[in-house]
Amino acid sequence: MLSALARAQAAATGVAQPLTTVGHLHAAAAPLVCVPLALAGETLAPLAALVGTDRAAPRLLVVPQPRNRDLRFAFAAALAAEVLPYLDARRGATEDVPADRGRQVRVRYLDAPQVWVPNPGGVEFVRLLGRSLRFRRTDGEHPVPAAVPRLGCWLTFLADRAELPGSALLVAATAALGAHWATGQSAVEDAHLPALLAWIDPPEGRTGAGAAAAAEDPAVTPPAGPATDPAFDRDVLAPLVAAYDRGAPDAPGRLAAALRGQLTPAWDAVWRAYDLLAALPPGATVAARWGQDRDAFTGYAAHLDEGGLPQPRHDSAVAAAARLHRLERAAATYALQRAYDDPLVLADHRLAGEAFRGEVVLADPTRVDDSGRRPVLRPRITVRSADPLHLAPGTALCAPGRPKQRATLVSVEGRDAVLELRGGMGRGRTPEAGSVPEVGEVVTYTTLTDAFAPAPAFPAPEDTPWTHGGPPADPAGGDPRGGAEVPGDPPAGAPPEPVPAG
Amino acid sequence: MWQAAGMESTAAARAREVTDAVLADLAAGVHRGVVVDSPPGAGKSTLVVRAARELAATGAATMIVAQTNEQVDDLVDRIAGADDRLRLGRLSAADYRPTPRVARHRNVRVAAKPADLDAPAVTVGTAAKWATVAEGTWPWAIVDEAYQMRADALLRVAPRFDRALFVGDPGQLDPFSTVDTGRWTGVSWDPMQSAVAVLLRHNPDLPLHRLPVSWRLPPSAAAVVAEAFYPDAPFTAGTAPGVRRWALDGPPVDAYDDTLDTAARTGWALHSLPPAFTPRTDAEAAAACAALAGRLLSRGATATCERTTAPVTAERIAVGAAHRDQVAAIRSALPPHAAQVTVDTANRLQGREYDVTIVLHPLSGRRDATAFHLEAGRLCVLTSRHRQACVVVARAGIPALLDAYPSREPVHLDTPVRFPDGWAAHHALLEHLAATAH
């Protein structure tokens, strides 16, 4: 609701409105930017890419005849020469992380890659390119350099990881900006990176709306890929590719110049998006999420080092279920962390009746519930709130400052909500000092919970039940890694990273 | 009355035929699974209770998988009540306290682990609880509300049983997820399918039965609901026309009374509000829903059905809506004497039954028709909870909205086509409502 208001305000004032007070995305110190272009009408025919870590010196890769498969794999090899060294350079210093409740130690890299593409179409390009490359063979009939399937594995890893809410290894600039600012234009228009940037960061002396309208002309601001401007295709690209096919000596140079002209505005735009997001003060849990990204990167690097197989073509029944569980858990955690990190995000939940903020007017911190088998400490507090209280009694609630404490809504009378608390109060019969909110304290409770769930048990792939088609027929063939856990991802249900309180 | 009684007994005979065929399939043991589709109020729980008792009589330990703790408690209560010598186990979370309807049965044991239940004939638990059971197998399982269960939940439970009976209502809400699940579209084990869908895709030759009679819906509703939401599995009402009837006591005053009287006369009514684009929590529409419930109670109504004649009290009335904030808005608009009326979302009204329901149409006041609001299951749940009548509250102009937003969900390869289509179902229901208004 608050974001709808922000959109209306943006439309009325012509200036994009912030949706957050902090940044929720880790901005890596050394990102790799990649702006890909694909040939129209093909599912995946790379046409060109600007790629690199130095904004002043991007490397241009061109496929002069995108329908030629040899040239396509030459492009892949050239891209690998840019991307793989970047990935390897992230594998420097490591740190020890306690695992399994301190019984073991896990090692992870201090750094991880962060690849920026202009938009979700760029993420899809990465996914498709990864799929087309990771099963290529380095021997046999059409051999490719070893770097090509290796690049395919890494691109697949990045695209898979991008599905995980809160991950920052592969970033679509429009999505990242859209999560932090509201514009006065539609979601479809927001998918055009130059227009989105025009709203958020208009040139001197112009409104966002005016600058965005100007950015819509593809002749002035070409699309940020992977799809190209049809007029460019017809008037520039097609004649140049035809000239290349005829063997015209100047064709490659003219093609490269034309494509560079199409790509450079998007290249600059992605860097501007990076700068805008990097300038935001990071939220409290951003570092913890980046830590999980580093875990994943470390794990997958180790998997490839050990000669691990590429990701299977499809998730097996077990792998799909386990992955869905991981994604849903990550989504819940990310929503909770965003709300806890950012009062503006929390306000949206309060407006929707999913959270409330108020003052503690009554507290019974030593209340004991002895109706069960043994008496247990169950303090009760009464919170007086001006927020609309629409929650039903029995709803489970959490407070941002007390992540280990669960509250249950006992009753609501007018503006007063009575809550019963459990957990997070130490082991004694009386709660530890400060663990139960005191009278006069201003507290916030939300329905967003991050309750620890025991690791879910999924059957082993070879025990896939008859209801799901039984065990995979050929675990070694079509689905090389069957239902194995995706290396690098923490095991499903693993306790989340400790979140700094407050 | 002779005719009516005759019709009811044929309906009962047809229903019994199907039930007998289901139990015969179970007893024969030729197939690993048996699927039973049940329209709203077709005696699904009765079937589950009967199947559990028959399986227990063969000496085979049976596990029952339900989807919510509420459903588990209901089943435990019904099975334990049907046979007080049958030993039952109720698997539960560690902090579960037996509800009165479970605690009153002496043949029920409650524990967090199967080992602590002392090998009962029938063990009942939620799918989430069964997923934590890592050992043991049961010769038979009964999966209740199997269309509400997601395929990934079945995957975690399936290693525990050899054979299973799947029972559920195919017209209910599809399982959903908050994350993007596009990567599994078309895969036969897509975890977002229902348990029945994944089962039938891998075992297409399993016997599929359909319960043919709805004992809940009156004849006025059965025909409409069957046509709109169950085009492949027609069913009829278990009662003859005229057996279910209700009337309001006090005199009519305004438009609310006209709507309620129409509902009493025809079993359906559309309470139409002036066209407008509104926020989700349309205050006028919420007030109308609440006022209708209030008026029904203040005028007083008496309902007659094949079992009894009784006043329509607040417990027998429900108001349904699509979103939680709409539910909150309606609840806060209820007059004090109607505070006991149930107000809930479609998700939470699944499986419940009332005399009269008042439904805030999912598309009322909307500018667009999204997949969420068009979902056939949502409208089906909302319009099939009643034994007497259903009142739909809506802003005018929904047919035009539907025409402006035809279904445009992408069609994927290898994905079974689902019927009914929500868009067509919405049109079918609205046409019927428009016809009853005159």
Side-chain angles (χ1 to χ4, degrees):
Chain A
M1 204 184 293
L2 207 56
S3 52
L5 176 67
R7 283 184 189 288
Q9 271 180 344
T13 58
V15 181
Q17 302 290 315
L19 288 172
T20 63
T21 58
V22 295
H24 294 281
L25 178 86
H26 175 83
L32 176 90
V33 172
C34 178
V35 182
L37 282 186
L39 185 71
E42 299 247 346
T43 309
L44 180 80
L47 171 65
L50 267 188
V51 58
T53 53
D54 180 355
R55 70 177 77 195
R59 170 94 195 275
L60 176 69
L61 310 176
V62 175
V63 187
Q65 172 45 279
R67 294 186 180 88
N68 181 326
R69 307 227 155 199
D70 293 333
L71 293 177
R72 193 178 296 180
F73 289 116
F75 167 85
L79 186 63
E82 294 296 317
V83 174
L84 293 181
Y86 169 74
L87 295 175
D88 286 334
R90 306 304 114 207
R91 302 175 63 179
T94 60
E95 64 177 348
D96 291 347
V97 188
D100 194 15
R101 293 168 193 234
R103 281 185 288 246
Q104 285 177 17
V105 167
R106 194 176 61 212
V107 177
R108 71 178 172 200
Y109 295 116
L110 285 174
D111 200 1
Q114 185 173 59
V115 178
W116 284 69
V117 291
N119 46 39
V123 174
E124 182 66 8
F125 180 94
V126 168
R127 189 183 71 81
L128 286 173
L129 190 61
R131 192 174 76 177
S132 76
L133 298 183
R134 69 180 188 261
F135 297 120
R136 287 287 127 200
R137 305 193 64 113
T138 51
D139 52 7
E141 231 177 297
H142 298 286
V144 295
V148 168
R150 196 172 147 82
L151 177 71
C153 289
W154 274 114
L155 294 183
T156 305
F157 165 78
L158 290 173
D160 278 354
R161 191 76 194 168
E163 286 181 7
L164 198 77
S167 168
L169 292 182
L170 176 59
V171 180
T174 54
L177 290 174
H180 291 82
W181 282 277
T183 69
Q185 61 185 1
S186 71
V188 176
E189 291 165 310
D190 275 351
H192 183 45
L193 180 59
L196 182 58
L197 275 169
W199 271 95
I200 296 169
D201 185 20
E204 197 67 40
R206 299 187 74 166
T207 66
E216 274 175 14
D217 182 359
V220 182
T221 319
T228 45
D229 171 24
F232 168 79
D233 286 353
R234 184 191 58 214
D235 300 337
V236 182
L237 186 62
L240 284 177
V241 171
Y244 172 84
D245 284 343
R246 283 196 310 273
D250 63 339
R254 286 171 59 205
L255 249 177
L259 287 166
R260 188 182 283 277
Q262 290 290 299
L263 284 164
T264 304
W267 169 265
D268 294 337
V270 174
W271 281 104
R272 265 175 72 206
Y274 168 82
D275 289 342
L276 284 167
L277 286 159
L280 296 173
T285 53
V286 166
R289 285 197 296 278
W290 181 243
Q292 287 166 356
D293 278 336
R294 290 191 283 126
D295 275 331
F297 170 64
T298 309
Y300 197 69
H303 170 79
L304 287 184
D305 284 352
E306 290 156 14
L309 291 166
Q311 297 90 340
R313 243 166 9 102
H314 294 294
D315 296 336
S316 71
V318 174
R323 182 175 172 82
L324 177 58
H325 174 85
R326 273 199 304 276
L327 293 180
E328 287 184 327
R329 199 168 158 74
T333 306
Y334 184 44
L336 172 107
Q337 292 178 341
R338 273 167 49 88
Y340 282 12
D341 285 358
D342 191 334
L344 204 51
V345 176
L346 191 61
D348 213 9
H349 292 283
R350 285 169 63 190
L351 275 175
E354 303 287 317
F356 60 89
R357 181 181 167 85
E359 188 184 329
V360 180
V361 290
L362 269 177
D364 182 358
T366 55
R367 179 180 171 277
V368 169
D369 180 354
D370 52 10
S371 61
R373 257 172 272 173
R374 51 170 200 255
V376 282
L377 187 60
R378 292 286 181 270
R380 284 194 175 184
I381 58 169
T382 304
V383 180
R384 183 160 297 165
S385 171
D387 296 347
L389 290 170
H390 289 319
L391 300 166
T395 308
L397 299 166
C398 258
R402 299 180 165 82
K404 285 186 178 159
Q405 197 167 70
R406 307 275 163 243
T408 309
L409 187 62
V410 178
S411 63
V412 176
E413 270 179 48
R415 294 264 166 238
D416 290 355
V418 179
L419 306 176
E420 183 171 307
L421 310 178
R422 60 188 299 178
M425 295 176 287
R427 296 191 164 274
R429 277 297 175 83
T430 50
E432 282 173 6
S435 63
V436 173
E438 289 168 20
V439 173
E441 193 176 330
V442 174
V443 290
T444 305
Y445 280 90
T446 80
T447 56
L448 299 160
T449 55
D450 187 25
F452 171 76
F458 289 100
E462 60 271 22
D463 296 331
T464 305
W466 59 277
T467 53
H468 288 65
D474 181 14
D479 286 354
R481 256 202 8 253
E485 289 271 309
V486 178
D489 279 358
E497 298 265 324
V499 176
Chain B
M1 260 340 3
W2 176 86
Q3 261 190 324
M7 185 171 162
E8 265 160 49
S9 65
T10 21
R14 282 191 297 133
R16 195 164 42 243
E17 235 170 72
V18 173
T19 313
D20 290 344
V22 172
L23 295 172
D25 271 338
L26 289 186
V30 179
H31 297 282
R32 293 196 80 169
V34 178
V35 179
V36 181
D37 281 3
S38 163
K44 184 163 53 64
S45 307
T46 312
L47 172 70
V48 170
V49 171
R50 220 181 127 192
R53 293 180 62 193
E54 299 229 346
L55 289 171
T58 66
T62 303
M63 60 184 272
I64 299 185
V65 183
Q67 307 312 314
T68 64
N69 277 307
E70 180 104 349
Q71 290 165 4
V72 171
D73 285 354
D74 282 346
L75 282 172
V76 167
D77 186 22
R78 292 197 56 169
I79 299 170
D83 183 350
D84 59 6
R85 279 172 308 171
L86 186 71
R87 288 194 309 111
L88 265 152
R90 200 257 188 245
L91 273 186
S92 68
D95 57 355
Y96 167 83
R97 291 207 190 142
T99 51
R101 63 187 193 278
V102 169
R104 72 174 181 222
H105 296 288
R106 295 177 57 191
N107 50 334
V108 178
R109 256 180 115 129
V110 179
K113 288 181 187 151
D116 301 337
L117 288 170
D118 195 21
V122 178
T123 310
V124 194
T126 60
K129 181 66 198 172
W130 275 113
T132 66
V133 176
E135 287 179 335
T137 51
W138 281 253
W140 275 101
I142 300 174
V143 181
D144 192 17
E145 298 290 4
Y147 284 93
Q148 290 178 27
M149 186 180 192
R150 245 168 44 177
D152 56 337
L154 179 65
L155 177 76
R156 295 173 62 188
V157 173
R160 299 279 79 79
F161 56 77
D162 297 328
R163 292 160 195 278
L165 167 67
F166 294 83
V167 187
D169 179 352
Q172 304 259 301
L173 289 162
D174 283 335
F176 73 102
S177 175
T178 49
V179 297
D180 180 16
T181 57
R183 70 186 275 133
W184 299 300
T185 304
V187 179
S188 67
W189 47 70
D190 180 353
M192 285 313 301
Q193 303 170 95
S194 75
V196 178
V198 74
L199 174 83
L200 289 178
R201 282 183 83 176
H202 291 103
N203 305 275
D205 54 341
L206 295 186
L208 174 67
H209 298 277
R210 291 181 172 128
L211 296 179
V213 178
S214 171
W215 301 103
R216 174 193 305 148
L217 294 176
S220 61
V224 179
V225 171
E227 191 206 321
F229 302 108
Y230 298 84
D232 304 330
F235 62 91
T236 55
T239 51
V243 173
R244 298 263 179 91
R245 55 188 188 277
W246 67 295
L248 290 120
D249 300 333
V253 180
D254 55 15
Y256 293 130
D257 296 301
D258 294 343
T259 301
L260 291 172
D261 287 332
T262 304
R265 208 171 56 245
T266 67
W268 292 100
L270 175 65
H271 188 79
S272 192
L273 298 170
F277 295 126
T278 65
R280 226 156 66 177
T281 50
D282 179 358
E284 201 181 335
C289 293
L292 282 164
R295 182 63 59 83
L296 207 172
L297 285 170
S298 60
R299 274 177 79 186
T302 311
T304 302
C305 71
E306 64 281 14
R307 297 184 213 148
T308 176
T309 296
V312 180
T313 55
E315 293 75 49
R316 301 300 305 153
I317 304 173
V319 185
H323 294 282
R324 276 181 299 182
D325 49 4
Q326 294 174 331
V327 165
I330 296 168
R331 206 176 273 151
S332 60
L334 281 177
H337 68 279
Q340 295 304 311
V341 168
T342 304
V343 187
D344 234 323
T345 56
N347 294 49
R348 299 178 53 135
L349 288 173
Q350 290 190 106
R352 283 150 74 179
E353 180 175 297
Y354 302 88
D355 278 340
V356 179
T357 57
I358 298 160
V359 174
L360 175 56
H361 197 286
L363 294 172
S364 174
R366 285 197 68 84
R367 230 171 228 289
D368 61 351
T370 68
F372 175 89
H373 299 96
L374 281 176
E375 188 183 342
R378 179 161 286 101
L379 191 64
C380 180
V381 169
L382 290 171
T383 55
S384 61
R385 301 298 103 200
H386 59 283
R387 289 176 65 84
Q388 295 284 359
C390 175
V391 178
V392 178
V393 176
R395 295 253 168 212
I398 294 178
L401 175 71
L402 283 171
D403 287 343
Y405 286 88
S407 287
R408 48 182 191 88
E409 290 296 293
V411 177
H412 295 282
L413 294 175
D414 293 334
T415 305
V417 182
R418 287 248 329 170
F419 284 106
D421 170 56
W423 189 83
H426 268 276
H427 261 310
L429 186 83
L430 282 171
E431 268 168 35
H432 182 82
L433 286 174
T436 58
H438 306 292

